[in-house]
Amino acid sequence: SVVGSALGNCAHAVLAVSGGLDSMVLLSAAARLPARARRNVVVATFDHGTGKAAGRAAAMVARQASRLGFLCVTGRAATIGTREEEWRRGRWDFLRQVAAKRDSCVVTAHTLDDQIETVFMRILRDAGPRGLAGLYAESEIVRPFLDISHRTIANSAELHRVVFVQDPSNYDRKHLRNRIRLDILPSIVKRNPVSPDELLSVAGSAAAMPRSPEELAGHVGLAGGRGGGRGLPRAGAAGTDRRRARRRW
């Protein structure tokens, strides 16, 4: 399975499980792995403190994880945020702390749909190449579902009778990602059905670009010198010093 293959690269793994459909399918898939692979898996869930729904989701994850034989670590926000970025920061601080204590990989249930939404958001924000790579950017986070659509994950949930909760905040259009997912992207796809593929192509190209000024210099042939490397003529190289290259990133 894709989850088994992904976890095979981790000595220990922390599954980030919110209680939503995608992450509960991740938990279900991990539960079907051989006992040897499951032994080094811990589940982590985070209550953002935004209301009863968030508390119920965290409690449900803890129950399901225990039923499936996993240790579950639950965190709760110290302060109640109102913006997606605040929620994300609190959640990731918690996940990294749990992973650091166990020297583990963090494994998330991000799907192909999440990548498409992320790239579109980065375009709106005029991101550079690293931002446009979205979830394809080099990272220590393990994302086994990144090439799988949400619809396919939903089919798996139905097949395996996966229990999950709907987060009401996912339908609140005051959040940009929700507007993109619910309104903007569906409208664009109606007019241009290949637009998701075009966004993924942009992300793939951005991810393949050099990651640092040093790599950029090597990529364009500036790393050569008196040893016979392919350096640019001085006039051509004058505008490509490290400081200017760094500004581009």
Side-chain angles (χ1 to χ4, degrees):
S1 70
V2 293
V3 173
S5 298
L7 294 186
N9 297 321
C10 302
H12 301 275
V14 172
L15 303 188
V17 182
S18 67
L21 187 148
D22 298 332
S23 66
M24 291 303 291
V25 169
L26 174 64
L27 176 59
S28 173
R32 296 194 300 276
L33 295 175
R36 159 179 87 193
R38 296 197 308 270
R39 230 181 349 250
N40 297 320
V41 174
V42 169
V43 174
T45 190
F46 189 71
D47 178 355
H48 295 92
T50 52
K52 292 181 179 179
R56 284 195 297 266
M60 186 273 291
V61 171
R63 286 195 305 272
Q64 291 298 317
S66 177
R67 183 180 70 81
L68 294 170
F70 295 110
L71 170 68
C72 181
V73 182
T74 302
R76 194 176 193 280
T79 58
I80 300 174
T82 58
R83 295 182 298 126
E84 285 183 300
E85 181 55 35
E86 293 174 300
W87 299 339
R88 182 181 184 281
R89 191 183 308 119
R91 181 171 66 250
W92 275 102
D93 285 348
F94 164 70
L95 290 171
R96 290 189 177 103
Q97 287 172 11
V98 175
K101 287 179 181 178
R102 292 165 173 78
D103 193 22
S104 302
C105 303
V106 175
V107 184
T108 74
H110 290 114
T111 67
L112 194 65
D113 298 62
D114 294 312
Q115 167 68 341
I116 292 166
E117 293 167 12
T118 298
V119 175
F120 190 83
M121 288 177 68
R122 302 284 174 81
I123 290 173
L124 292 181
R125 291 169 175 167
D126 197 25
R130 299 307 298 153
L132 292 177
L135 304 179
Y136 288 166
E138 187 172 336
S139 170
E140 295 179 355
I141 300 164
V142 178
R143 299 183 174 99
F145 294 163
L146 194 53
D147 292 325
I148 303 175
S149 71
H150 174 74
R151 179 174 296 179
T152 300
I153 299 298
N155 290 340
S156 178
E158 185 174 356
L159 176 65
H160 295 287
R161 299 182 179 180
V162 173
V163 177
F164 64 93
V165 295
Q166 293 283 5
D167 182 352
S169 71
N170 287 338
Y171 301 94
D172 187 344
R173 284 174 165 83
K174 74 180 180 184
H175 303 302
L176 175 60
R177 184 179 287 272
N178 291 347
R179 295 198 300 274
I180 288 171
R181 183 180 67 254
L182 298 173
D183 302 320
I184 300 172
L185 277 177
S187 178
I188 291 173
V189 170
K190 280 183 181 178
R191 292 176 175 272
N192 179 15
V194 300
S195 55
D197 293 331
E198 293 170 345
L199 289 170
L200 293 172
S201 178
V202 167
S205 297
M209 294 183 74
R211 295 185 296 275
S212 67
E214 290 77 12
E215 271 194 47
L216 179 61
H219 188 69
V220 299
L222 295 177
R226 284 180 288 181
R230 284 176 39 197
L232 293 178
R234 177 175 292 276
T240 55
D241 61 36
R242 180 176 299 181
R243 184 167 48 187
R244 290 188 61 187
R246 183 170 282 118
R247 282 204 299 269
R248 295 184 59 188
W249 293 83

